[in-house]
Structure formats: structure tokens, C-alpha cells
Amino acid sequence: MMKQQIIKAIEAYQVIYIYRHERPDPDAIGSQAGLAALIKANYPEKQVVLMGEDDESMHFLARMNKDTDEKPSGDALVIVCDTANTERIDGEGSEDGGKRIKIDHHPEVESYGDISWVQTESSSTCEMLVGLALEGESVFKWQIPADAARLLYAGIVGDTGRFQFSNTTPETLRCAAEMLEYDFDAAELITRFYKSEEKLVRFRGEVLTNFTLTGNGLGYMYITNDMLERYRLTVNESSAVINSFSDTEGLKAWVFFVEDTENQNYRVRLRSKGPVINEVAQNHNGGGHPMASGAKAKDKKETEDILEELDMLCKSYKETPDK
């Protein structure tokens, strides 16, 4: 019923603004732009606006509307994809529409929206939207355009690490298979997904050479502003190396501290193979999934506090015999 409720809201509004979280990943862009493609294909008379900063690294998936200064009015529908809390919504005015819908697969940090569809068992928001698309096809006679299928497939691939992460379920694979029925080049998409510029390859080499692994199984790496300047990388681009040493034997969890001189803090990127890390993230202005989270540290001292918390978490975590 939730999916039908969302579709009926889409049908009721002529102008629709779609948001996602700041510093977008493929699931954020895929869900935002994929939903837009579905709406445009089935309701061509509607105006659909993609909100948020344009991210050059995601141009192979989609671009945002150029005029992002425009804000919703009271007669517009606002849909926010893949965003657990309002603080992380990219773009202004998400609270100004006539109705707001939240579609997300993260553990709920903040309850918001007149309609809130949160499904934490889904691998990605794109997986959820495949379900919405199929419901629309079955009940509302929707057509699923190939570009929507491409975008939703990309988001599923991104959030499951090419179906390697533990969030990959039989339903995930069924949803991905449904999208592969449509006419887009999945092999070319994956090639563009994981293609790296030379500067990133060399940067990854420095990370592999210099990361630290504690005796309790915590890996960590500081990315300084000097490093970013030396390799001509932005803070956002540095996220491409998050899994660079993830296959290291004995590693239980890992964290990157990225110096962000513009905001005078550290971006904190956390990943895990077992210990639940999102509570640590929540303690430090962040949140996310049990195995993949983000946070912010105001200074070096706070990064050291995070390291201590994570190391103790790894120390207390006992792997099951089949791992």
C-alpha cells in the first residue's frame, strides 16, 4: 500500500522536486534520477526538478538541473531519496512543498515527511524504487524506460559493491535481474563505474603503502590536505579509495579521516566486516548503515577518540567460526 500511496501522490502534483543526500554516491544519484525518469516517462506533462549540487564524478549517470536556486512552492511535491536525516539533504527548500515524501533504506536517524517509506532490509534505495516501478507497471500501467532501469541498476551495483557486500539478498538479485531486461549496456556502465584516472591509481598506491592496522583488526588512514593537493584530488574524489585495503587479512573494520580545510574539520568514512559501526558514527555527527557509515570530526583529538572507540569495538568483536 505504501508504494501505491506514493504513486497516487505523484499523480496528484504537477510539479515535483526530487532531492537526495549531499556528497552523492551512485545510489543517491540513481534513485533521484531514476525516479525522475520514471515520472517523466509516465507523466510527460509534469515538471520534475532534480535538486542538489552537480557532481562531475557522477555525470556518467545523470546531471542535476542547472537552476538549483529554484525552490518548491506550496503546490509542489517534494520527494527525498536515500537520506536518513534532513541535515544531509542537498539543496534548499525541501521543507517548503505542499507534501514531502521520504524514500530511504538507511536506519532511521530522523523521522520526517508526510509519507515515510523506510525499508532497511533493502540493499539500496534503488532496490526499493525497482519495487515501486514494478508496482506502477502492474497497477498503474506504467512503462519503465531503459534509462530508469540503467540508473536503478547502477544504484544497486554501487551499494552492494557489485553484489559482494552482505546486504545482497535474493530480492536484490531479483530486482537487478528485472532491470537487466531493459535495453542498456550494463557492461559499459560497470566499466565507467570503476574506471580510475591515473592520479587516483597512484593515490591508492600511497594509501596501500601507508595505512595502519592495529592488533585488534582496525585499519585506518589519514588523508591530509597536502596529499589531496599533491594528487590534485578533491575531498569527494578521495572516497574512491575507501575499499583499497578491505581485503587485508585480519581486518575487521576500517576508517579514513579526510582533512577538509574548507569546512575546518575531518570527513570520517567508516566501513566494517562485522562490528556494528553506525553507533560510533552517530556519536560524532554522523550515521549510516551498520557496516558503512560516515561522520565528522571537528579536530585531530576527536579523530583519536573515534579510533579508540573503533579499536575497542574490534577488540570485543568475535568472529563466528564460518568467517
Side-chain angles (χ1 to χ4, degrees):
M1 291 301 294
M2 181 69 74
K3 292 190 279 286
Q4 291 190 27
Q5 191 178 357
I6 290 170
I7 292 171
K8 288 176 182 177
I10 289 169
E11 289 188 333
Y13 284 83
Q14 181 64 27
V15 181
I16 301 169
Y17 286 75
I18 307 179
Y19 292 75
R20 39 79 184 162
H21 62 73
E22 61 186 355
R23 301 188 296 277
D25 56 11
D27 188 35
I29 295 289
S31 58
Q32 180 190 32
L35 179 57
L38 283 168
I39 295 170
K40 289 175 182 176
N42 292 286
Y43 309 100
E45 75 284 358
K46 294 185 185 296
Q47 179 187 352
V48 183
V49 182
L50 297 180
M51 296 294 285
E53 289 188 14
D54 206 33
D55 188 325
E56 187 175 351
S57 69
M58 294 290 161
H59 280 176
F60 75 99
L61 291 177
R63 297 173 186 247
M64 300 299 99
N65 287 86
K66 290 181 180 179
D67 184 13
T68 53
D69 291 333
E70 188 179 356
K71 296 179 185 178
S73 60
D75 59 354
L77 175 65
V78 167
I79 304 175
V80 183
C81 295
D82 200 41
T83 311
N85 55 315
T86 54
E87 183 182 358
R88 294 202 68 211
I89 297 173
D90 191 358
E92 296 181 359
S94 69
E95 69 284 357
D96 295 334
K99 178 175 282 190
R100 180 160 64 170
I101 298 173
K102 176 185 183 182
I103 304 175
D104 188 32
H105 72 122
H106 296 92
E108 190 148 63
V109 175
E110 177 186 347
S111 178
Y112 66 88
D114 303 287
I115 300 173
S116 179
W117 181 25
V118 177
Q119 195 164 285
T120 57
E121 65 271 24
S122 293
S123 69
S124 53
T125 302
C126 281
E127 179 181 324
M128 295 172 65
L129 287 174
V130 171
L132 183 79
L134 295 175
E135 184 80 6
E137 183 180 52
S138 172
V139 179
F140 294 84
K141 309 302 180 187
W142 275 17
Q143 299 294 313
I144 301 177
D147 193 48
R150 178 184 70 91
L151 288 158
L152 297 180
Y153 181 78
I156 294 172
V157 168
D159 260 24
T160 61
R162 289 179 283 186
F163 310 107
Q164 296 178 86
F165 298 162
S166 61
N167 60 351
T168 304
T169 67
E171 181 62 19
T172 304
L173 296 175
R174 280 190 285 268
C175 288
E178 287 281 358
M179 296 300 93
L180 285 173
E181 294 287 344
Y182 293 88
D183 186 20
F184 67 93
D185 190 336
E188 190 270 344
L189 175 66
I190 299 303
T191 297
R192 295 189 67 179
F193 228 107
Y194 294 101
K195 182 169 60 177
S196 294
E197 294 182 67
E198 180 185 352
K199 64 181 183 179
L200 258 179
V201 174
R202 297 191 182 280
F203 176 60
R204 187 177 295 117
E206 179 159 343
V207 169
L208 288 168
T209 301
N210 293 296
F211 80 93
T212 299
L213 179 63
T214 73
N216 293 320
L218 174 67
Y220 66 91
M221 180 75 190
Y222 281 89
I223 306 298
T224 66
N225 186 61
D226 286 344
M227 289 175 66
L228 294 174
E229 289 183 349
R230 191 173 351 123
Y231 289 98
R232 305 185 310 282
L233 294 170
T234 65
V235 171
N236 286 350
E237 287 173 328
S238 69
S239 65
V241 302
I242 186 66
N243 292 314
S244 55
F245 54 83
S246 61
D247 55 358
T248 304
E249 186 175 1
L251 185 72
K252 296 177 184 178
W254 61 103
V255 59
F256 279 74
F257 300 106
V258 185
E259 189 176 8
D260 185 349
T261 54
E262 182 179 348
N263 294 299
Q264 297 185 325
N265 61 20
Y266 287 85
R267 299 262 187 96
V268 186
R269 299 176 178 135
L270 307 95
R271 298 293 185 270
S272 174
K273 293 183 176 182
V276 175
I277 56 173
N278 58 342
E279 291 182 5
V280 174
Q282 288 168 15
N283 291 339
H284 298 276
N285 301 301
H289 300 288
M291 304 295 148
S293 295
K296 295 176 184 176
K298 62 180 180 293
D299 52 28
K300 186 72 176 289
K301 173 62 170 58
E302 188 170 2
T303 70
E304 292 166 354
D305 292 341
I306 293 170
L307 281 176
E308 184 176 351
E309 292 174 45
L310 289 171
D311 200 47
M312 292 303 296
L313 199 61
C314 288
K315 183 179 181 180
S316 62
Y317 176 75
K318 304 298 181 185
E319 293 181 309
T320 53
D322 63 329
K323 288 189 177 180

